[in-house]
Amino acid sequence: ALGDIVLDCRELGLPALPAMVISIDGIRPGKGYWDMAYPGVTDPAVREANWNEEIKEIAGVSYPYTLEKDEKE
């Protein structure tokens, strides 16, 4: 489900809201987030930098009420 939200946000040009969901260790997102949000990025430092930037972007964006696409499109 969170992966779908990542993809929907990307399609709409929005930062991925699941970046705010952290794993049980309470430090950063789990593996599923990285795989969906940044496929192919394996360098931990790059992942961390991308995530930090995404968190900053989320704070400055207004999200639509729903991420569903207009069915008429």
Side-chain angles (χ1 to χ4, degrees):
L2 289 175
D4 292 332
I5 295 171
V6 169
L7 296 176
D8 288 346
C9 286
R10 292 287 189 251
E11 187 172 317
L12 294 170
L14 297 167
L17 277 172
M20 301 293 292
V21 179
I22 57 173
S23 64
I24 198 161
D25 66 12
I27 298 172
R28 49 188 60 78
K31 182 180 180 331
Y33 166 77
W34 303 114
D35 292 345
M36 292 300 294
Y38 302 104
V41 178
T42 57
D43 183 319
V46 173
R47 284 181 166 194
E48 186 83 14
N50 290 345
W51 176 58
N52 286 325
E53 187 61 32
E54 191 134 40
I55 293 295
K56 290 177 192 173
E57 291 174 6
I58 287 169
V61 171
S62 294
Y63 286 83
Y65 179 72
T66 180
L67 293 176
E68 293 179 15
K69 285 76 166 176
D70 184 357
E71 293 185 21
K72 294 180 183 178
E73 292 181 25

Coordinates of all heavy atoms in Angstrom, one line a residue:
A1 N 0.8 -1.2 0.0 CA 0.0 0.0 0.0 C 0.9 1.3 0.0 O 0.6 2.2 -0.7 CB -0.9 0.0 1.2
L2 N 1.9 1.3 0.8 CA 2.8 2.5 0.8 C 3.5 2.6 -0.5 O 3.7 3.8 -0.9 CB 3.8 2.4 2.0 CG 3.2 2.6 3.4 CD1 4.2 2.4 4.5 CD2 2.5 3.9 3.6
G3 N 3.9 1.5 -1.1 CA 4.5 1.6 -2.4 C 3.6 2.2 -3.4 O 4.1 3.0 -4.3
D4 N 2.3 2.0 -3.4 CA 1.4 2.6 -4.3 C 1.3 4.1 -4.1 O 1.2 4.9 -5.0 CB 0.0 2.0 -4.1 CG -0.1 0.5 -4.6 OD1 0.7 0.1 -5.5 OD2 -0.9 -0.2 -4.0
I5 N 1.4 4.5 -2.8 CA 1.4 5.9 -2.5 C 2.7 6.6 -3.1 O 2.6 7.7 -3.6 CB 1.2 6.2 -1.0 CG1 -0.1 5.7 -0.6 CG2 1.4 7.7 -0.7 CD1 -0.4 5.7 0.9
V6 N 3.8 5.9 -2.9 CA 5.1 6.5 -3.5 C 4.9 6.7 -5.0 O 5.2 7.7 -5.5 CB 6.3 5.5 -3.2 CG1 7.5 6.0 -4.0 CG2 6.6 5.5 -1.8
L7 N 4.4 5.7 -5.7 CA 4.2 5.7 -7.1 C 3.2 6.8 -7.5 O 3.5 7.6 -8.5 CB 3.8 4.4 -7.7 CG 4.8 3.3 -7.5 CD1 4.2 1.9 -8.1 CD2 6.1 3.6 -8.2
D8 N 2.1 6.9 -6.8 CA 1.1 8.0 -7.1 C 1.7 9.4 -6.9 O 1.5 10.3 -7.7 CB -0.1 7.8 -6.2 CG -1.0 6.6 -6.6 OD1 -0.8 6.1 -7.7 OD2 -1.8 6.2 -5.8
C9 N 2.5 9.5 -5.8 CA 3.1 10.8 -5.6 C 4.1 11.2 -6.7 O 4.1 12.3 -7.2 CB 3.8 10.8 -4.2 SG 2.7 10.9 -2.8
R10 N 4.9 10.2 -7.1 CA 5.8 10.5 -8.2 C 5.1 10.9 -9.4 O 5.5 11.8 -10.1 CB 6.7 9.2 -8.4 CG 7.6 8.9 -7.3 CD 8.8 9.8 -7.2 NE 9.8 9.4 -6.3 CZ 10.0 10.0 -5.1 NH1 9.3 11.0 -4.7 NH2 11.0 9.5 -4.3
E11 N 4.0 10.1 -9.7 CA 3.3 10.4 -11.0 C 2.7 11.8 -11.0 O 2.6 12.5 -12.0 CB 2.1 9.4 -11.1 CG 1.4 9.5 -12.5 CD 0.4 8.4 -12.7 OE1 0.8 7.2 -12.4 OE2 -0.7 8.7 -13.2
L12 N 2.3 12.3 -9.8 CA 1.7 13.6 -9.6 C 2.8 14.7 -9.4 O 2.4 15.9 -9.2 CB 0.7 13.7 -8.5 CG -0.5 12.8 -8.7 CD1 -1.4 12.7 -7.4 CD2 -1.4 13.4 -9.9
G13 N 4.0 14.3 -9.4 CA 5.1 15.3 -9.2 C 5.2 15.8 -7.7 O 5.7 16.9 -7.5
L14 N 4.8 15.0 -6.8 CA 4.8 15.3 -5.4 C 5.9 14.5 -4.7 O 6.2 13.4 -5.0 CB 3.5 15.0 -4.7 CG 2.3 15.8 -5.3 CD1 1.0 15.2 -4.8 CD2 2.4 17.3 -4.9
P15 N 6.5 15.0 -3.6 CA 7.4 14.2 -2.7 C 6.6 13.0 -2.2 O 5.4 13.2 -1.9 CB 7.8 15.2 -1.6 CG 7.4 16.5 -2.1 CD 6.3 16.4 -3.1
A16 N 7.2 11.9 -2.0 CA 6.5 10.7 -1.5 C 6.2 10.8 0.0 O 7.1 10.8 0.8 CB 7.4 9.5 -1.8
L17 N 4.9 10.8 0.3 CA 4.5 10.9 1.7 C 5.0 9.7 2.5 O 5.3 9.9 3.7 CB 3.0 10.9 1.7 CG 2.3 12.3 1.6 CD1 0.8 12.1 1.5 CD2 2.7 13.2 2.7
P18 N 5.2 8.5 2.0 CA 5.7 7.5 2.8 C 7.1 7.7 3.4 O 7.6 7.0 4.3 CB 5.7 6.2 1.9 CG 4.5 6.5 1.0 CD 4.7 8.0 0.7
A19 N 7.8 8.8 2.9 CA 9.1 9.1 3.5 C 8.9 9.5 5.0 O 9.9 9.4 5.8 CB 9.7 10.3 2.8
M20 N 7.7 9.8 5.4 CA 7.4 10.2 6.8 C 7.2 8.9 7.7 O 7.2 9.1 8.9 CB 6.2 11.1 6.9 CG 6.3 12.4 6.1 SD 7.5 13.5 6.8 CE 6.7 14.0 8.3
V21 N 7.0 7.8 7.0 CA 6.8 6.6 7.8 C 8.1 5.9 8.0 O 8.8 5.5 7.1 CB 5.9 5.6 7.0 CG1 5.6 4.3 7.7 CG2 4.6 6.3 6.6
I22 N 8.4 5.8 9.3 CA 9.7 5.2 9.7 C 9.5 3.7 10.2 O 8.5 3.4 10.6 CB 10.5 6.0 10.7 CG1 9.6 6.2 12.0 CG2 10.9 7.4 10.2 CD1 10.3 6.8 13.1
S23 N 10.6 3.0 10.1 CA 10.5 1.6 10.5 C 10.5 1.5 12.0 O 10.6 2.5 12.7 CB 11.7 0.8 9.9 OG 12.9 1.3 10.5
I24 N 10.4 0.3 12.5 CA 10.2 0.0 13.9 C 11.4 0.5 14.7 O 11.3 0.9 15.9 CB 10.0 -1.5 14.2 CG1 9.4 -1.7 15.5 CG2 11.2 -2.3 13.9 CD1 8.7 -3.0 15.7
D25 N 12.6 0.7 14.1 CA 13.8 1.2 14.8 C 13.6 2.7 15.1 O 14.4 3.2 15.9 CB 15.1 0.9 14.1 CG 15.2 1.6 12.7 OD1 14.4 2.5 12.4 OD2 16.2 1.2 12.0
G26 N 12.7 3.3 14.4 CA 12.4 4.7 14.7 C 13.4 5.7 14.2 O 13.4 6.8 14.6
I27 N 14.2 5.3 13.2 CA 15.3 6.1 12.7 C 15.0 6.6 11.3 O 15.1 7.8 11.0 CB 16.6 5.5 12.8 CG1 16.9 5.2 14.3 CG2 17.7 6.3 12.2 CD1 18.2 4.3 14.5
R28 N 14.6 5.7 10.4 CA 14.4 6.0 9.0 C 13.5 5.0 8.4 O 13.1 4.0 9.0 CB 15.8 6.1 8.2 CG 16.7 4.9 8.4 CD 18.1 5.2 7.8 NE 18.8 6.3 8.3 CZ 19.5 6.3 9.4 NH1 19.5 5.3 10.2 NH2 20.2 7.4 9.7
P29 N 13.1 5.2 7.1 CA 12.1 4.3 6.5 C 12.7 2.9 6.3 O 14.0 2.7 6.3 CB 11.9 4.9 5.1 CG 12.2 6.3 5.3 CD 13.3 6.4 6.3
G30 N 11.9 1.9 6.1 CA 12.3 0.5 5.9 C 12.7 0.3 4.5 O 12.6 1.2 3.6
K31 N 13.2 -0.9 4.2 CA 13.7 -1.3 2.9 C 12.7 -1.1 1.8 O 13.0 -0.6 0.7 CB 14.1 -2.8 2.9 CG 14.7 -3.2 1.6 CD 15.1 -4.7 1.7 CE 15.7 -5.3 0.4 NZ 15.3 -4.7 -0.8
G32 N 11.4 -1.3 2.0 CA 10.4 -1.1 1.0 C 10.3 0.3 0.5 O 10.1 0.5 -0.7
Y33 N 10.5 1.3 1.4 CA 10.5 2.7 0.9 C 11.6 2.9 0.0 O 11.4 3.5 -1.1 CB 10.6 3.6 2.1 CG 11.0 5.0 1.7 CD1 10.0 5.9 1.2 CD2 12.2 5.5 1.8 CE1 10.3 7.1 0.8 CE2 12.5 6.8 1.4 CZ 11.6 7.6 0.9 OH 11.9 8.9 0.5
W34 N 12.8 2.5 0.3 CA 14.0 2.8 -0.5 C 13.8 2.1 -1.9 O 14.2 2.8 -2.9 CB 15.3 2.3 0.1 CG 15.5 2.8 1.5 CD1 15.5 2.1 2.7 CD2 15.8 4.2 1.8 NE1 15.8 3.0 3.7 CE2 16.0 4.2 3.2 CE3 15.9 5.4 1.1 CZ2 16.2 5.4 3.9 CZ3 16.2 6.5 1.8 CH2 16.4 6.6 3.2
D35 N 13.3 0.9 -1.9 CA 13.2 0.2 -3.2 C 12.2 0.9 -4.1 O 12.3 0.9 -5.3 CB 12.7 -1.3 -2.9 CG 13.8 -2.1 -2.2 OD1 15.0 -1.7 -2.2 OD2 13.5 -3.2 -1.7
M36 N 11.1 1.4 -3.5 CA 10.1 2.1 -4.3 C 10.4 3.5 -4.7 O 10.2 4.0 -5.8 CB 8.7 2.1 -3.6 CG 8.1 0.7 -3.5 SD 7.8 -0.2 -5.1 CE 6.5 0.9 -5.8
A37 N 10.9 4.3 -3.7 CA 11.2 5.7 -3.9 C 12.5 5.9 -4.7 O 12.5 6.9 -5.5 CB 11.3 6.4 -2.5
Y38 N 13.5 5.1 -4.5 CA 14.7 5.3 -5.2 C 15.3 4.0 -5.8 O 16.3 3.5 -5.3 CB 15.8 5.9 -4.3 CG 15.3 7.2 -3.7 CD1 14.8 7.3 -2.4 CD2 15.2 8.4 -4.5 CE1 14.3 8.5 -1.9 CE2 14.7 9.6 -4.0 CZ 14.3 9.6 -2.7 OH 13.8 10.8 -2.2
P39 N 14.5 3.4 -6.7 CA 15.0 2.1 -7.3 C 16.4 2.2 -7.9 O 16.7 3.2 -8.5 CB 13.9 1.8 -8.3 CG 13.3 3.1 -8.7 CD 13.4 3.9 -7.4
G40 N 17.2 1.3 -7.6 CA 18.6 1.3 -8.1 C 19.6 2.0 -7.3 O 20.8 1.9 -7.6
V41 N 19.1 2.8 -6.4 CA 20.1 3.6 -5.5 C 20.4 2.7 -4.3 O 19.6 2.4 -3.5 CB 19.5 4.9 -5.0 CG1 20.5 5.6 -4.1 CG2 19.1 5.8 -6.2
T42 N 21.7 2.3 -4.3 CA 22.1 1.4 -3.2 C 23.1 2.0 -2.2 O 23.3 1.5 -1.2 CB 22.8 0.1 -3.8 OG1 23.9 0.5 -4.6 CG2 21.8 -0.7 -4.6
D43 N 23.7 3.1 -2.6 CA 24.6 3.8 -1.7 C 23.9 4.4 -0.5 O 23.0 5.3 -0.7 CB 25.3 4.9 -2.5 CG 26.4 5.6 -1.7 OD1 26.2 5.9 -0.5 OD2 27.5 5.9 -2.3
P44 N 24.2 4.0 0.7 CA 23.5 4.5 1.9 C 23.5 6.0 2.0 O 22.6 6.6 2.5 CB 24.2 3.8 3.0 CG 24.8 2.6 2.4 CD 25.2 2.9 1.0
A45 N 24.7 6.6 1.7 CA 24.8 8.0 1.8 C 23.9 8.8 0.9 O 23.3 9.8 1.2 CB 26.3 8.5 1.6
V46 N 23.8 8.3 -0.3 CA 22.9 8.9 -1.4 C 21.4 8.7 -0.9 O 20.6 9.6 -1.0 CB 23.2 8.3 -2.8 CG1 22.1 8.8 -3.8 CG2 24.6 8.6 -3.2
R47 N 21.1 7.5 -0.5 CA 19.7 7.3 0.0 C 19.4 8.2 1.1 O 18.3 8.8 1.1 CB 19.6 5.8 0.5 CG 19.5 4.8 -0.5 CD 19.3 3.4 0.1 NE 18.9 2.5 -0.9 CZ 18.4 1.3 -0.7 NH1 18.3 0.9 0.6 NH2 18.1 0.5 -1.6
E48 N 20.3 8.4 2.1 CA 20.0 9.3 3.2 C 19.9 10.7 2.8 O 19.0 11.4 3.2 CB 21.2 9.2 4.2 CG 21.0 9.9 5.5 CD 20.2 9.2 6.5 OE1 20.0 8.0 6.4 OE2 19.8 9.8 7.5
A49 N 20.7 11.2 1.8 CA 20.6 12.5 1.3 C 19.3 12.7 0.6 O 18.6 13.7 0.7 CB 21.8 12.8 0.4
N50 N 18.9 11.7 -0.2 CA 17.6 11.8 -1.0 C 16.4 11.9 0.0 O 15.5 12.7 -0.2 CB 17.4 10.6 -1.9 CG 18.4 10.6 -3.1 OD1 19.0 11.7 -3.4 ND2 18.5 9.5 -3.7
W51 N 16.5 11.1 1.0 CA 15.4 11.0 2.0 C 15.3 12.3 2.8 O 14.2 12.9 2.9 CB 15.6 9.8 3.0 CG 14.6 9.8 4.1 CD1 13.3 9.7 4.0 CD2 14.9 9.8 5.5 NE1 12.7 9.6 5.2 CE2 13.7 9.6 6.2 CE3 16.1 9.8 6.2 CZ2 13.7 9.6 7.6 CZ3 16.1 9.8 7.6 CH2 14.8 9.7 8.2
N52 N 16.4 12.9 3.2 CA 16.4 14.1 3.9 C 15.8 15.3 3.0 O 15.1 16.1 3.5 CB 17.8 14.5 4.4 CG 18.3 13.7 5.5 OD1 17.5 13.3 6.4 ND2 19.6 13.4 5.6
E53 N 16.2 15.3 1.8 CA 15.6 16.3 0.9 C 14.1 16.1 0.7 O 13.4 17.0 0.6 CB 16.3 16.2 -0.5 CG 16.0 17.3 -1.4 CD 16.3 18.7 -0.9 OE1 17.3 18.9 -0.2 OE2 15.5 19.6 -1.3
E54 N 13.7 14.8 0.6 CA 12.3 14.6 0.4 C 11.5 15.0 1.6 O 10.4 15.6 1.5 CB 12.1 13.1 0.2 CG 10.7 12.7 -0.3 CD 10.6 11.8 -1.5 OE1 11.4 10.8 -1.5 OE2 9.8 12.0 -2.3
I55 N 12.0 14.8 2.8 CA 11.3 15.2 4.1 C 11.2 16.8 4.0 O 10.1 17.3 4.4 CB 12.1 14.8 5.3 CG1 12.1 13.3 5.5 CG2 11.6 15.5 6.6 CD1 10.8 12.7 5.7
K56 N 12.2 17.5 3.6 CA 12.1 18.9 3.5 C 11.1 19.4 2.5 O 10.3 20.3 2.8 CB 13.5 19.5 3.1 CG 14.5 19.4 4.2 CD 15.9 19.9 3.7 CE 17.0 19.6 4.6 NZ 18.3 19.9 4.0
E57 N 11.0 18.7 1.4 CA 10.0 19.0 0.3 C 8.6 18.8 0.8 O 7.7 19.5 0.5 CB 10.3 18.2 -0.9 CG 11.6 18.6 -1.6 CD 11.9 17.7 -2.8 OE1 11.1 16.8 -3.1 OE2 13.0 17.9 -3.4
I58 N 8.4 17.7 1.6 CA 7.1 17.4 2.0 C 6.5 18.5 2.9 O 5.3 18.9 2.7 CB 7.1 16.1 2.9 CG1 7.3 14.9 1.9 CG2 5.8 15.9 3.7 CD1 7.5 13.6 2.6
A59 N 7.3 19.1 3.7 CA 6.9 20.2 4.6 C 6.4 21.4 3.8 O 5.6 22.2 4.3 CB 8.0 20.6 5.5
G60 N 6.9 21.6 2.6 CA 6.5 22.8 1.8 C 5.5 22.5 0.7 O 5.2 23.4 -0.1
V61 N 4.8 21.4 0.7 CA 3.9 21.0 -0.3 C 2.5 20.9 0.2 O 2.3 20.3 1.3 CB 4.3 19.7 -1.0 CG1 3.3 19.2 -2.0 CG2 5.7 19.9 -1.7
S62 N 1.5 21.3 -0.5 CA 0.1 21.0 -0.2 C -0.3 19.8 -1.1 O -0.2 19.9 -2.3 CB -0.8 22.2 -0.6 OG -0.5 23.3 0.3
Y63 N -0.8 18.8 -0.4 CA -1.3 17.6 -1.1 C -2.7 17.7 -1.4 O -3.5 18.3 -0.6 CB -1.0 16.4 -0.2 CG 0.5 16.0 -0.2 CD1 1.4 16.7 0.6 CD2 1.0 15.1 -1.1 CE1 2.7 16.4 0.6 CE2 2.4 14.8 -1.1 CZ 3.2 15.5 -0.2 OH 4.6 15.2 -0.2
P64 N -3.2 17.1 -2.5 CA -4.6 17.0 -2.8 C -5.3 16.1 -1.8 O -4.7 15.3 -1.1 CB -4.6 16.4 -4.2 CG -3.4 15.6 -4.3 CD -2.4 16.4 -3.5
Y65 N -6.6 16.3 -1.7 CA -7.4 15.4 -0.8 C -7.2 14.0 -1.1 O -7.2 13.1 -0.2 CB -8.9 15.8 -0.9 CG -9.8 15.1 -0.1 CD1 -9.8 15.2 1.3 CD2 -10.6 14.1 -0.6 CE1 -10.6 14.5 2.1 CE2 -11.5 13.4 0.2 CZ -11.5 13.6 1.6 OH -12.3 12.8 2.4
T66 N -7.1 13.6 -2.4 CA -6.9 12.2 -2.8 C -5.8 12.2 -3.8 O -5.6 13.1 -4.6 CB -8.2 11.6 -3.4 OG1 -7.9 10.3 -3.8 CG2 -8.7 12.4 -4.5
L67 N -5.1 11.1 -3.9 CA -4.1 10.9 -4.9 C -4.6 10.1 -6.1 O -3.8 9.8 -7.0 CB -2.9 10.1 -4.3 CG -2.1 10.8 -3.2 CD1 -1.0 9.9 -2.6 CD2 -1.5 12.1 -3.8
E68 N -5.9 9.8 -6.1 CA -6.5 9.1 -7.2 C -6.5 10.0 -8.4 O -6.7 11.2 -8.3 CB -7.9 8.7 -6.9 CG -7.9 7.6 -5.8 CD -9.4 7.2 -5.4 OE1 -10.3 7.5 -6.2 OE2 -9.5 6.6 -4.4
K69 N -6.2 9.4 -9.6 CA -6.2 10.1 -10.8 C -7.7 10.3 -11.3 O -8.5 9.5 -11.0 CB -5.5 9.4 -11.9 CG -4.0 9.5 -11.8 CD -3.6 8.6 -10.7 CE -2.2 8.2 -10.6 NZ -2.0 7.4 -9.4
D70 N -7.9 11.4 -12.0 CA -9.2 11.6 -12.6 C -9.5 10.5 -13.6 O -8.7 10.3 -14.5 CB -9.2 13.0 -13.3 CG -10.5 13.3 -13.9 OD1 -11.5 12.5 -13.8 OD2 -10.6 14.5 -14.4
E71 N -10.6 9.8 -13.4 CA -10.9 8.6 -14.3 C -11.2 9.0 -15.7 O -11.2 8.2 -16.6 CB -12.0 7.8 -13.7 CG -11.6 7.2 -12.4 CD -12.7 6.3 -11.8 OE1 -13.6 5.9 -12.6 OE2 -12.7 6.0 -10.6
K72 N -11.4 10.3 -16.0 CA -11.7 10.8 -17.3 C -10.4 10.9 -18.1 O -10.4 11.1 -19.3 CB -12.4 12.1 -17.3 CG -13.8 11.9 -16.7 CD -14.5 13.3 -16.7 CE -15.9 13.1 -16.0 NZ -16.6 14.4 -15.9
E73 N -9.2 11.0 -17.5 CA -8.0 11.2 -18.2 C -7.6 10.0 -19.0 O -7.9 8.9 -18.8 CB -6.9 11.5 -17.2 CG -7.0 12.8 -16.5 CD -5.9 13.1 -15.5 OE1 -4.8 12.5 -15.7 OE2 -6.1 13.8 -14.6

